[in-house]
Amino acid sequence: MALVAADLASPAGEVETTLFYPGTLDAAVTARLNAYLTQGYALGTALTDTVAQDDLARNYAYYRAWSDVVNRITLQPASTSLAGEVSISRLQSQINTWIVARDAWRQAYLALLPDSSTVATPGVSQSIATLYRF
């Protein structure tokens, strides 16, 4: 069974689109998730078991979706305030929760690869991957 974006998005899947991609049109989120699935299936071409291919593609797509959130929240200021109106802050522990989940999805997809020791993350240069712990 080839997975599609709807399999990843809530309520069927783990990606709550409005939380992961606030202000993004549904069509753009669908395109992004389908692209991640395509990349995940490309990683699993050496696998002969279709269930394993689906698992790899799903785990890879979730890893990428969680990476999107980690990138978004780490690029925002840790605290913001409007004089006399509101103050908003984010704790590092909140960000770490997303990082832990992202890393778990990464480990899940790497574990399904025939030889994960030689596979780089598609589309990510090694220097960026090292710097940002992809």
Side-chain angles (χ1 to χ4, degrees), residues 1-57:
M1 164 182 149
L3 300 172
V4 296
D7 296 315
L8 303 179
S10 179
E14 301 290 325
V15 176
E16 182 60 53
T17 58
T18 57
L19 173 64
F20 280 50
Y21 305 102
T24 305
L25 296 174
D26 288 342
V29 174
T30 297
R32 180 184 293 260
L33 294 176
N34 280 328
Y36 294 161
L37 285 168
T38 298
Q39 293 168 349
Y41 279 113
L43 287 171
T45 55
L47 299 173
T48 56
D49 179 7
T50 57
V51 173
Q53 289 173 344
D54 288 347
D55 287 344
L56 174 60

Side-chain angles (χ1 to χ4, degrees), residues 113-131:
L113 292 173
D115 181 11
S116 62
S117 63
T118 60
V119 177
T121 303
V124 177
S125 74
Q126 283 308 102
S127 60
I128 291 175
T130 302
L131 179 64

Side-chain angles (χ1 to χ4, degrees), residues 40-116:
Y41 279 113
L43 287 171
T45 55
L47 299 173
T48 56
D49 179 7
T50 57
V51 173
Q53 289 173 344
D54 288 347
D55 287 344
L56 174 60
R58 179 185 302 105
N59 291 335
Y60 177 80
Y62 281 149
Y63 156 69
R64 291 295 306 271
W66 260 258
S67 291
D68 290 340
V69 175
V70 169
N71 292 340
R72 179 174 48 81
I73 62 178
T74 56
L75 291 173
Q76 295 173 343
S79 64
T80 306
S81 62
L82 299 172
E85 291 185 28
V86 67
S87 177
I88 300 170
S89 63
R90 179 178 295 114
L91 300 173
Q92 182 61 42
S93 61
Q94 292 172 293
I95 297 170
N96 288 345
T97 300
W98 287 92
I99 292 171
V100 167
R102 178 208 54 196
D103 292 348
W105 286 116
R106 181 176 189 269
Q107 290 306 312
Y109 93 76
L110 288 175
L112 293 168
L113 292 173
D115 181 11
S116 62

